[in-house]
Amino acid sequence: MAALAARIGSYLRPGDCVLLEGPVGAGKSFFARALIQSAQTVPEDVPSPTFTLVQTYDTRLGEVWHADLYRLGHVDELAELGLEEAFDGAITLIEWPERLGEVRPARFLRLVIDITGDDGRQVTLHPIGDWPWVEEL
Ligand SMILES: Nc1ncnc2c1ncn2[C@@H]1O[C@H](COP(=O)(O)OP(=O)(O)O)[C@@H](O)[C@H]1O
Ligand SMILES: [Mg+2]
């Protein structure tokens, strides 16, 4: 999972949005953490944004936003978080994207994680819009 996250991270550019789907414990935070850490110049803690909803990081790829929308009360709060602006200028990694409702970019990469065993995970990528490099993974 960490290797896949770093590999996907190496292709991401500002404006790219990855929606992380899967049940609790699937590895959405694990994936985001591994991706962010692979792009950090100085290793930093990457806590789960369960309560802050959003954590931002300056990385070699530019600004990365890690969001966990599980505790989002209402879609109006998305504006307060500044997520829509981030869709344009930053790389956004979003857990519980179901909470976004209509507030999502036209182009995004859906990543669905299924639990197949204690340490087993199956990751399915659904590119929405133009993601030419996904074929190369
Ligand atoms: N192959 C794997 N990929 C990702 N996480 C795994 C894997 N195998 C075991 N795990 C464990 O599963 C848990 C995933 O937790 P987390 O990333 O917080 O899930 P989520 O954010 O989807 O709720 C972690 O404790 C992690 O160590
Ligand atoms: Mg999580």
Side-chain angles (χ1 to χ4, degrees):
M1 187 67 87
L4 177 68
R7 189 160 167 78
I8 288 177
S10 73
Y11 287 99
L12 294 180
R13 298 290 173 268
D16 286 353
C17 171
V18 181
L19 305 186
L20 300 167
E21 297 181 21
V24 172
K28 302 179 293 296
S29 296
F30 185 99
F31 178 94
R33 184 176 299 118
L35 192 159
I36 291 162
Q37 286 178 336
S38 75
Q40 279 176 328
T41 43
V42 180
E44 240 188 288
D45 259 8
V46 179
S48 176
T50 309
F51 294 100
T52 54
L53 301 190
V54 169
Q55 302 275 355
T56 62
Y57 301 90
D58 282 315
T59 74
R60 271 183 273 120
L61 307 168
E63 197 177 6
V64 177
W65 285 46
H66 178 198
D68 181 342
L69 303 181
Y70 188 75
R71 286 168 194 275
L72 189 78
H74 192 273
V75 281
D76 289 350
E77 291 173 32
L78 291 169
E80 287 165 39
L81 292 173
L83 204 56
E84 280 177 89
E85 287 83 9
F87 286 149
D88 294 327
I91 291 169
T92 46
L93 310 174
I94 304 180
E95 298 184 47
W96 299 102
E98 296 85 347
R99 302 278 202 276
L100 285 171
E102 301 294 299
V103 185
R104 56 181 67 199
R107 177 180 161 277
F108 56 84
L109 184 61
R110 260 185 82 213
L111 190 149
V112 180
I113 308 172
D114 288 306
I115 302 175
T116 56
D118 283 351
D119 293 334
R121 299 292 187 273
Q122 180 177 296
V123 176
T124 313
L125 290 168
H126 303 273
I128 307 298
D130 197 26
W131 295 88
W133 52 262
V134 167
E135 298 294 320
E136 295 168 23
L137 286 171

